[in-house]
Amino acid sequence: MRALYREHAGALYTYVLRLVAGDRFLAEDVVQETLLRAWKSASRLDPAARSLRPWLVTVARRIVIDGHRSRQARPPETSPAALEQLPANDDMERSLRLMTISDALQDLSEAHREALVATYFGGRTVNEAAEELGLPPGTVRSRVFYALRALRNALEERGVTTS
């Protein structure tokens, strides 16, 4: 095995380096795998052959091709560093948003807040909210309009911008 390495490893490395576009680490891996396969196949190799280099070159080329095909067949792996930049799957952002909205709602008058909660947050139509509040639908519509404007101003004061 040492004689095989001394005789062929340098030339094999140079050949494989061209096949893998200069990736030294990959070339070293391919040469190592090629020589390992030669060692495992020693009993099947022809001892009368002038040189093993053609067989080694063929094996190395096939290893490179197989590696290329396997990288094409499955998506590339990502490093854990990319995952650290993803936001955590928790409700922190939602909680902060709800706290800000709740705080801004406290700036509204009772009548405006009542109309807004009944329609937007209660999921009722203006007519349903009007019936529940005992007000005419036009009054509820007007209060919702002015409540939304006041809420937008209150949120902007807290640094929340609408886009």
Side-chain angles (χ1 to χ4, degrees):
M1 190 64 187
R2 286 186 183 143
L4 184 67
Y5 183 83
R6 272 193 306 268
E7 188 176 341
H8 301 288
L12 197 56
Y13 177 77
T14 303
Y15 172 72
V16 171
L17 197 58
R18 282 183 280 149
L19 291 178
V20 296
D23 185 342
R24 292 175 176 258
F25 298 112
L26 182 57
E28 289 173 0
D29 288 346
V30 170
V31 169
Q32 182 179 7
E33 178 65 25
T34 303
L35 294 174
L36 182 64
R37 288 184 187 183
W39 180 61
K40 287 180 178 180
S41 302
S43 62
R44 290 179 283 164
L45 296 176
D46 183 13
R50 241 176 75 204
S51 175
L52 287 178
R53 192 166 292 171
W55 184 85
L56 293 170
V57 167
T58 302
V59 170
R61 186 171 53 82
R62 287 181 181 163
I63 292 171
V64 170
I65 290 169
D66 289 346
H68 177 72
R69 285 180 181 158
S70 69
R71 283 188 298 278
Q72 297 299 317
R74 67 180 227 197
E77 295 178 12
T78 59
S79 72
L83 296 176
E84 291 172 4
Q85 295 178 359
L86 292 175
N89 189 15
D90 63 5
D91 290 334
M92 182 60 75
E93 185 67 32
R94 183 175 180 270
S95 297
L96 289 173
R97 187 174 51 244
L98 290 175
M99 287 172 54
T100 304
I101 292 171
S102 178
D103 186 45
L105 279 171
Q106 297 307 312
D107 288 355
L108 303 180
S109 70
E110 181 65 33
H112 287 151
R113 184 174 43 252
E114 195 174 64
L116 200 58
V117 168
T119 55
Y120 276 87
F121 299 108
R124 295 178 194 85
T125 65
V126 170
N127 291 335
E128 292 169 344
E131 189 176 314
E132 179 185 312
L133 297 172
L135 298 169
T139 302
V140 173
R141 229 179 259 111
S142 174
R143 287 182 182 177
V144 168
F145 173 80
Y146 288 110
L148 285 174
R149 186 188 316 172
L151 183 62
R152 181 174 41 240
N153 290 337
L155 288 171
E156 285 175 354
E157 288 174 5
R158 287 165 175 76
V160 178
T161 58
T162 57
S163 49

